Amino acid sequence: MKINILNAGYCTAPEHIAIHGGRWRAIHFPAMFALFRHPKFGAMLFDTGYSYRFFDETKKFPKRFYRWMTPVTLHEEDLVLNQLSTFNLQPKDISHVFISHFHADHIASLPDLNWSRFVHMPHAFSHLRNLPPEEDMKHAFLRGLIPTDFDSRSQIVDMSKPIFLAEEYAPFKTGYDLLGDGSIIGVELPGHALGQMGIFARDDDDKLFFFVADAAWLKRSIVENRPPHKIANLLFPDPAAYRETLGNLHTYYLTHPDTHVIPSHCDETIRALKKS
């Protein structure tokens, strides 16, 4: 399977919020997405990054606060559809989108992908669908980014059928075989968002990638087991679970140095992998 690391735009925010003891200056947080080209299932994505719909959905108050808190930069060439074209792919070629969680910077291009199956943890969306609209902002959720036929194209992870993971995935002990062939393994990474899913995927060179979504915002947080500033706890549904997940990622990083561990918003990591 071929794996390409890409990003659709970026936002800016103070580094000291993302990692305890960080600098007070604003830094870039790219909205990473990954392209997988599988020999059987064809082209697939992990998340989608931003699209212009983000700006449409945040024109009015109170949602305008979303773009004020994390100002977004997005160029025409950054759009998922335009980046797919550089691989001679069209939206109809994307068979699956693996959704880590439903924050706007991870799902903004879902409406552009009219033929895809949407793979996600059941509780990642179930608690959002019936929210009163006035509570959307508490969950960084923009309901206008959800396609009208989302339910009919959802492929919800069957959490009643976990698989036991080999030692190479420790300390993660159970996961979910998302395609049935062992090529994409989903694991729950609780704390940042309900039902947040990370995935393991192996490329043609037998290199293992671990996409950890927003379980950490910066790779340095994982390397040093250094969580965000305490103010970030206000954004998390379960700060204690966040810290436990970060600790597990730290252990994994130390014991599996050959795996690419990829937070979705780490500029340094994404730049390095895009060049490789």
Side-chain angles (χ1 to χ4, degrees), residues 20-249:
H20 184 73
R23 296 166 294 180
W24 282 75
R25 70 178 182 87
I27 62 172
H28 288 182
F29 293 88
M32 191 276 294
F33 70 99
L35 170 65
F36 307 135
R37 285 170 287 168
H38 189 283
K40 178 180 177 181
F41 295 98
M44 303 177 291
L45 298 180
F46 175 71
D47 287 339
T48 74
Y50 289 109
S51 78
Y52 288 145
R53 286 183 182 82
F54 174 82
F55 302 106
D56 294 336
E57 291 295 315
T58 55
K59 283 180 180 178
K60 299 179 181 179
F61 292 102
K63 293 180 182 178
R64 194 171 185 88
F65 282 114
Y66 198 154
R67 67 161 83 172
W68 282 359
M69 291 172 60
T70 55
V72 173
T73 299
L74 180 66
H75 302 295
E76 187 76 18
E77 62 269 22
D78 298 331
L79 299 175
V80 168
L81 300 187
N82 291 335
Q83 294 200 58
L84 288 178
S85 69
T86 66
F87 295 92
N88 295 315
L89 293 169
Q90 300 177 37
K92 65 181 179 62
D93 298 317
I94 304 301
S95 64
H96 297 72
V97 180
F98 303 100
I99 301 172
S100 65
H101 60 298
F102 285 82
H103 290 172
D105 51 333
H106 295 259
I107 64 166
S109 280
L110 292 186
D112 297 320
L113 302 166
N114 295 325
W115 291 266
S116 306
R117 286 282 176 192
F118 300 131
V119 183
H120 58 91
M121 296 281 189
H123 49 310
F125 188 61
S126 61
H127 77 292
L128 296 172
R129 64 184 311 132
N130 296 317
L131 281 179
E134 59 269 21
E135 293 189 19
D136 286 358
M137 282 294 293
K138 288 168 53 179
H139 301 274
F141 177 58
L142 299 176
R143 64 184 62 230
L145 302 178
I146 302 297
T148 56
D149 61 348
F150 182 83
D151 287 342
S152 66
R153 293 195 284 134
S154 284
Q155 184 174 314
I156 298 172
V157 176
D158 186 350
M159 300 189 72
S160 70
K161 298 179 179 179
I163 60 172
F164 292 103
L165 299 178
E167 184 62 27
E168 67 174 326
Y169 300 103
F172 300 96
K173 297 178 180 179
T174 60
Y176 304 91
D177 188 352
L178 300 182
L179 295 174
D181 65 353
S183 62
I184 304 281
I185 303 296
V187 292
E188 187 170 7
L189 300 173
H192 172 79
L194 292 178
Q196 179 176 241
M197 180 173 68
I199 63 173
F200 288 98
R202 196 179 297 276
D203 70 6
D204 287 339
D205 296 322
D206 203 36
K207 186 71 176 179
L208 189 61
F209 292 69
F210 187 12
F211 297 90
V212 304
D214 289 9
W217 283 316
L218 300 175
K219 180 75 167 287
R220 188 153 39 106
S221 294
I222 297 171
V223 174
E224 301 173 10
N225 196 16
R226 188 144 51 110
H229 190 284
K230 288 183 179 179
I231 198 172
N233 289 341
L234 299 174
L235 307 173
F236 302 152
D238 192 338
Y242 183 98
R243 290 191 295 273
E244 182 179 357
T245 296
L246 182 62
N248 286 335
L249 291 175

